[in-house]
Amino acid sequence: MIHQAGGKTAFVFAGGGSFGAIQVGMLGALLAHGVQPDLVVGASVGALNGAYFAGNPTLQGVRQLEQLWCGMKRSTVFPMSLRRVAGMFSHSSSLADASGLRALIAQHLPFERLEQAALALHVVATGQLHGEAVCLSSGPAVDAILASCAIPAIFPAVQLGGRYLIDGAIAGNTPVSTAAALGASRLIVLPTGYACALSAPPTSAIGCALHALNMLMAHQLVQDLELLADRPDLEVLTVPPLCPLSASAYDFSRAAELIERAGQSTRRWLEQGGLERQNIPGALRPHTD
């Protein structure tokens, strides 16, 4: 399909824990190739990346986002304490304190409200009580991003607009249908994929949970892309995620490596005409390395 003149292009950011670094490499390659969106839609860690990019949608902005990722630490994003772990058996609904992630978002985000971003920005969260997808397009940006990143049992829900909101991945990790409903006719999806080349399961409880969630999200994305494949009014292009991938979605120490690999693989995809083909990457389907 040829993109129609005047149609809107959306960058759609998936979730994936520390694999969010992969999207930074994808972004750099897309922008260097001259690809620019009109709007941004993100869920889970994709909401964080999408928000930073929407605030400064330039190569300089991507470089700043890369610096942020390369400085991230697990202890900042997932601060744990014996008190909170013990609280899981009494009155606490989460393992980790979200204050570190909140501070990280607030410190670097160049705007306070979603509607103040340079590009139209839409953050997808999930209603905790009924499971509905909630698209946030205005209001406090940090709260919206934090809600979209609130992995159940790991982070507490965020109360916003009279609703309890949790991770956008629960309602639909890659909100391609939301982007289409917002008027985009061309969707460029940035998935994170999952660790397909592990030799053994992750050793931590959170690592196991994130690995399972990433596989679930990849499979859901395939289903969503298949449902949209027959729409003649919509062009859906999916940047291939890294494969093979043996890192942990709970390990932030490999951000620089993931960014570099994703940049290289995305450049190859672009050079080979990736923007002309609406293929669903095989790396999103169940496979071995």
Side-chain angles (χ1 to χ4, degrees), residues 36 46 54 66 92 147 170-171 177 202 214 216 267:
Q36 284 280 357
E66 179 176 352
S92 178
I170 306 303
S177 58
N214 281 2
L216 175 65
R267 285 191 290 272

Side-chain angles (χ1 to χ4, degrees), residues 101-271:
L101 182 58
R102 175 181 287 276
L104 181 69
I105 297 169
Q107 180 180 355
H108 298 279
L109 198 66
F111 52 88
E112 294 184 356
R113 299 182 61 82
L114 296 175
E115 63 269 29
Q116 294 172 338
L119 292 177
L121 171 61
H122 308 277
V123 171
V124 177
T126 301
Q128 184 182 29
L129 301 184
H130 304 291
E132 75 279 13
V134 178
C135 181
L136 303 168
S137 305
S138 62
V142 174
D143 287 342
I145 298 167
L146 203 62
S148 189
C149 293
I151 304 168
I154 297 178
F155 291 123
V158 175
Q159 192 170 6
L160 192 61
R163 287 181 286 199
Y164 291 94
L165 302 179
I166 56 174
D167 197 330
I170 306 303
N173 174 65
T174 306
V176 287
S177 58
T178 300
L182 288 166
S185 60
R186 185 193 197 204
L187 312 183
I188 299 180
V189 185
L190 285 71
T192 59
Y194 66 94
C196 60
L198 294 177
S199 58
T203 56
S204 69
I206 293 181
C208 283
L210 289 175
H211 178 61
L213 185 59
N214 281 2
M215 289 191 294
L216 175 65
M217 294 185 296
H219 300 164
Q220 179 61 50
L221 173 56
V222 169
Q223 293 178 13
D224 292 344
L225 293 175
E226 289 175 341
L227 288 173
L228 294 174
D230 295 329
R231 283 188 51 171
D233 61 326
L234 196 61
E235 183 181 11
V236 185
L237 304 163
T238 307
V239 183
L242 294 181
C243 180
L245 182 60
S246 59
S248 167
Y250 188 43
D251 179 7
F252 290 82
S253 68
R254 298 177 63 178
E257 172 195 341
L258 296 178
I259 292 169
E260 177 62 24
R261 281 187 61 193
Q264 292 176 353
S265 66
T266 304
R267 285 191 290 272
R268 287 195 299 270
W269 177 73
L270 291 166
E271 292 165 358

